[in-house]
Amino acid sequence: MTDLDERIVRALRERAEGAVDTDRLTARAVAGGRARRRRRRIGAGGALGVVVLLGFAAVAAPGPAPGPRWPGAEPAVTVAAPSRADGVPGAAARPDLVGSDPEVLHFAVDPARARWLTWQSVPGVESARLDLGGGRQVVFDLGRTAAAVENIHHEGGTYPDVPAGADAFDGRVQRVAPPGPDGQPGWFLRWQPVPGLYARVHTVAGDDSALRTARSALRLDAAHRCASPLRLGALPSDARLSGCEVNAIGFPDSLDVLLLVTRPGERRMQVRLEYYREISGRRTEGNRTIGGRAAYLYPKGDELELLGFPKAHLTARFGWPLHGFTEADAAVVLGGARVAEDLTRPETWD
Amino acid sequence: MTFEEYVSSRGPALIRLARLLTGDEHRAEDLTQDVLARAYVHWRRIARADRPDVYVRRMLVNANNSWWRRRANRELATADFAERPQRGDLGGETADRDAMWRLVLGLPDRQRAVLVLRYYEDLDDATIAQILDCSPVTVRTHAMRALTHLRERCGLPTTNGSRP
């Protein structure tokens, strides 16, 4: 072993050492695992779910949504959903607009048949995770090309090894074998609603019944805005907002908003608002200041957090595998970010 | 082996590995708990694997690299390693370890993971390749680049006998 090798070993050993409370670790891991298993059983969450983004004109109605009927799953007391974008054409009328505006979803769902869990708009593709009731859950993707749709993989999904080509968007159902002996198969329904538009519904279940239910619940003659309690009021030079993802699976207990900021040349930065009612918010003293507010640059130097949001983290991540933005850029974005006063009251999101 | 038995025996090692991958003590705890919770759901399948520990460590490395790893960061870090009190400094050894740690921390994630698995976990390249889901050649490439960087930053000759 060389001197360099030994120095590396010494440094790593010192940084790794420290007591570990094994009993606590075991208890928390088991509790977390059981909670995950429960969520998977009710169909609301094997996936991390998160999501989306940006529709700054947000909305969402407090109280049960009007009229929906879920056979097996009552809606939460407070629900979050993307707001209607009146006057904006749906995908059927303007397929060329799909995936072109991170603030808009060019589709809707029948509230009597499905409930929004997540929604997102990224370049070329718009997506949503929907609760159909009775423990059934699907993810819907809509894009201008088959390749763009097939490139989207959602956590918790079971996808084919070989992406489908454009000719596979023909209304037939595809079954994908489960990844392991305990798993369920993946099911896909792909079709072309109008020329130049590719739609896909995916579920992991014992049968494919949810696919056709979901297809009948989708509406391509209306549009929504991405509801979110986070707005970016400032962007670095040459940068623009390119994507938004909102995850309201756990709402009102938790909510995740992810905004993608890009520059030409695939340079990217992620701005994230993560709310979780169990966040302790212990850190109040930062190592940076943004607009007079405390901020914290993480030790790796690739992520900056603006402090002071109860039970929430507001961060800008610019390190690997992202690139093209700096701590100064992150400070600009966080300094101009506006967060709703009460993250659990969608009616206050503007 | 039950899940509880696995965590009891391997949990501390996973936490220590996470400390080195994340560079943040609290994030390491959150990351490990999140990964173990996911492992719990699939434990029957994982326990049947030839080397369940390799599988779990792969989950840990991937979770740390994931863009979505924030889920594992529910609790805010309150103390970084740099803030931990140091023991007595013996002839500048502490300063040297701190400097080396900062250099390791500054490496790209995959390079740092290779060094941690090789030098701290003392794993061979084939096992590291399994954990990182790449080839042993790729492991050696990451290691070579990391060591070259460290040598340059330490003012050492570009080759000094370290395993490539």
Side-chain angles (χ1 to χ4, degrees), chain B residues 133-147:
Chain B
D133 196 19
C134 64
S135 71
V137 172
T138 301
V139 169
R140 286 191 284 274
T141 300
H142 284 312
M144 180 183 66
R145 289 174 178 167
L147 292 171

mmCIF file of all heavy atoms in Angstrom, chain B residues 133-147:
data_model
loop_
_atom_site.group_PDB
_atom_site.id
_atom_site.type_symbol
_atom_site.label_atom_id
_atom_site.label_comp_id
_atom_site.label_asym_id
_atom_site.label_seq_id
_atom_site.Cartn_x
_atom_site.Cartn_y
_atom_site.Cartn_z
ATOM 1 N N ASP B 133 -23.062 -1.649 -10.683
ATOM 2 C CA ASP B 133 -23.738 -2.098 -11.901
ATOM 3 C C ASP B 133 -22.975 -1.635 -13.147
ATOM 4 O O ASP B 133 -23.533 -1.031 -14.071
ATOM 5 C CB ASP B 133 -25.170 -1.562 -11.949
ATOM 6 C CG ASP B 133 -26.020 -2.309 -12.970
ATOM 7 O OD1 ASP B 133 -25.633 -3.430 -13.349
ATOM 8 O OD2 ASP B 133 -27.059 -1.769 -13.391
ATOM 9 N N CYS B 134 -21.673 -1.912 -13.120
ATOM 10 C CA CYS B 134 -20.835 -1.575 -14.274
ATOM 11 C C CYS B 134 -19.784 -2.679 -14.412
ATOM 12 O O CYS B 134 -19.822 -3.679 -13.693
ATOM 13 C CB CYS B 134 -20.176 -0.205 -14.092
ATOM 14 S SG CYS B 134 -19.027 -0.121 -12.702
ATOM 15 N N SER B 135 -18.857 -2.508 -15.341
ATOM 16 C CA SER B 135 -17.832 -3.526 -15.529
ATOM 17 C C SER B 135 -16.626 -3.251 -14.634
ATOM 18 O O SER B 135 -16.398 -2.108 -14.224
ATOM 19 C CB SER B 135 -17.374 -3.536 -16.985
ATOM 20 O OG SER B 135 -16.626 -2.371 -17.255
ATOM 21 N N PRO B 136 -15.817 -4.276 -14.339
ATOM 22 C CA PRO B 136 -14.590 -4.036 -13.577
ATOM 23 C C PRO B 136 -13.657 -3.048 -14.272
ATOM 24 O O PRO B 136 -12.937 -2.301 -13.606
ATOM 25 C CB PRO B 136 -13.955 -5.437 -13.497
ATOM 26 C CG PRO B 136 -15.121 -6.381 -13.578
ATOM 27 C CD PRO B 136 -16.072 -5.725 -14.545
ATOM 28 N N VAL B 137 -13.696 -3.029 -15.589
ATOM 29 C CA VAL B 137 -12.867 -2.068 -16.321
ATOM 30 C C VAL B 137 -13.305 -0.641 -15.986
ATOM 31 O O VAL B 137 -12.466 0.254 -15.769
ATOM 32 C CB VAL B 137 -12.969 -2.312 -17.848
ATOM 33 C CG1 VAL B 137 -12.264 -1.200 -18.613
ATOM 34 C CG2 VAL B 137 -12.375 -3.675 -18.194
ATOM 35 N N THR B 138 -14.601 -0.440 -15.930
ATOM 36 C CA THR B 138 -15.106 0.890 -15.580
ATOM 37 C C THR B 138 -14.711 1.258 -14.159
ATOM 38 O O THR B 138 -14.367 2.411 -13.863
ATOM 39 C CB THR B 138 -16.637 0.921 -15.728
ATOM 40 O OG1 THR B 138 -16.979 0.603 -17.074
ATOM 41 C CG2 THR B 138 -17.190 2.294 -15.394
ATOM 42 N N VAL B 139 -14.747 0.279 -13.270
ATOM 43 C CA VAL B 139 -14.315 0.531 -11.892
ATOM 44 C C VAL B 139 -12.871 1.010 -11.880
ATOM 45 O O VAL B 139 -12.519 2.002 -11.218
ATOM 46 C CB VAL B 139 -14.456 -0.748 -11.043
ATOM 47 C CG1 VAL B 139 -13.753 -0.584 -9.694
ATOM 48 C CG2 VAL B 139 -15.931 -1.078 -10.837
ATOM 49 N N ARG B 140 -12.025 0.292 -12.614
ATOM 50 C CA ARG B 140 -10.612 0.677 -12.625
ATOM 51 C C ARG B 140 -10.415 2.054 -13.262
ATOM 52 O O ARG B 140 -9.536 2.820 -12.853
ATOM 53 C CB ARG B 140 -9.796 -0.396 -13.357
ATOM 54 C CG ARG B 140 -9.624 -1.668 -12.549
ATOM 55 C CD ARG B 140 -8.597 -2.599 -13.159
ATOM 56 N NE ARG B 140 -9.110 -3.291 -14.326
ATOM 57 C CZ ARG B 140 -9.810 -4.430 -14.274
ATOM 58 N NH1 ARG B 140 -10.085 -4.986 -13.105
ATOM 59 N NH2 ARG B 140 -10.232 -5.003 -15.376
ATOM 60 N N THR B 141 -11.231 2.364 -14.246
ATOM 61 C CA THR B 141 -11.127 3.683 -14.872
ATOM 62 C C THR B 141 -11.488 4.787 -13.873
ATOM 63 O O THR B 141 -10.790 5.796 -13.761
ATOM 64 C CB THR B 141 -12.063 3.766 -16.095
ATOM 65 O OG1 THR B 141 -11.680 2.767 -17.030
ATOM 66 C CG2 THR B 141 -11.984 5.136 -16.749
ATOM 67 N N HIS B 142 -12.585 4.564 -13.144
ATOM 68 C CA HIS B 142 -12.971 5.551 -12.124
ATOM 69 C C HIS B 142 -11.858 5.692 -11.085
ATOM 70 O O HIS B 142 -11.517 6.805 -10.667
ATOM 71 C CB HIS B 142 -14.264 5.120 -11.437
ATOM 72 C CG HIS B 142 -15.495 5.338 -12.252
ATOM 73 N ND1 HIS B 142 -15.774 6.527 -12.901
ATOM 74 C CD2 HIS B 142 -16.552 4.527 -12.524
ATOM 75 C CE1 HIS B 142 -16.942 6.432 -13.523
ATOM 76 N NE2 HIS B 142 -17.426 5.224 -13.331
ATOM 77 N N ALA B 143 -11.312 4.573 -10.655
ATOM 78 C CA ALA B 143 -10.263 4.604 -9.628
ATOM 79 C C ALA B 143 -9.027 5.342 -10.152
ATOM 80 O O ALA B 143 -8.440 6.160 -9.434
ATOM 81 C CB ALA B 143 -9.897 3.186 -9.218
ATOM 82 N N MET B 144 -8.664 5.042 -11.380
ATOM 83 C CA MET B 144 -7.474 5.677 -11.958
ATOM 84 C C MET B 144 -7.651 7.191 -12.022
ATOM 85 O O MET B 144 -6.746 7.952 -11.662
ATOM 86 C CB MET B 144 -7.217 5.113 -13.351
ATOM 87 C CG MET B 144 -6.002 5.692 -14.038
ATOM 88 S SD MET B 144 -5.795 5.039 -15.705
ATOM 89 C CE MET B 144 -7.258 5.730 -16.503
ATOM 90 N N ARG B 145 -8.812 7.615 -12.475
ATOM 91 C CA ARG B 145 -9.051 9.050 -12.575
ATOM 92 C C ARG B 145 -9.064 9.712 -11.200
ATOM 93 O O ARG B 145 -8.547 10.808 -11.011
ATOM 94 C CB ARG B 145 -10.375 9.308 -13.295
ATOM 95 C CG ARG B 145 -10.312 8.985 -14.784
ATOM 96 C CD ARG B 145 -11.660 9.102 -15.449
ATOM 97 N NE ARG B 145 -11.562 8.832 -16.882
ATOM 98 C CZ ARG B 145 -12.609 8.627 -17.678
ATOM 99 N NH1 ARG B 145 -13.833 8.654 -17.191
ATOM 100 N NH2 ARG B 145 -12.440 8.394 -18.967
ATOM 101 N N ALA B 146 -9.669 9.036 -10.243
ATOM 102 C CA ALA B 146 -9.727 9.601 -8.900
ATOM 103 C C ALA B 146 -8.326 9.716 -8.299
ATOM 104 O O ALA B 146 -7.959 10.753 -7.738
ATOM 105 C CB ALA B 146 -10.612 8.724 -8.010
ATOM 106 N N LEU B 147 -7.544 8.651 -8.439
ATOM 107 C CA LEU B 147 -6.198 8.664 -7.861
ATOM 108 C C LEU B 147 -5.303 9.669 -8.570
ATOM 109 O O LEU B 147 -4.472 10.321 -7.937
ATOM 110 C CB LEU B 147 -5.601 7.256 -7.937
ATOM 111 C CG LEU B 147 -6.286 6.213 -7.038
ATOM 112 C CD1 LEU B 147 -5.764 4.813 -7.345
ATOM 113 C CD2 LEU B 147 -6.072 6.552 -5.568
#
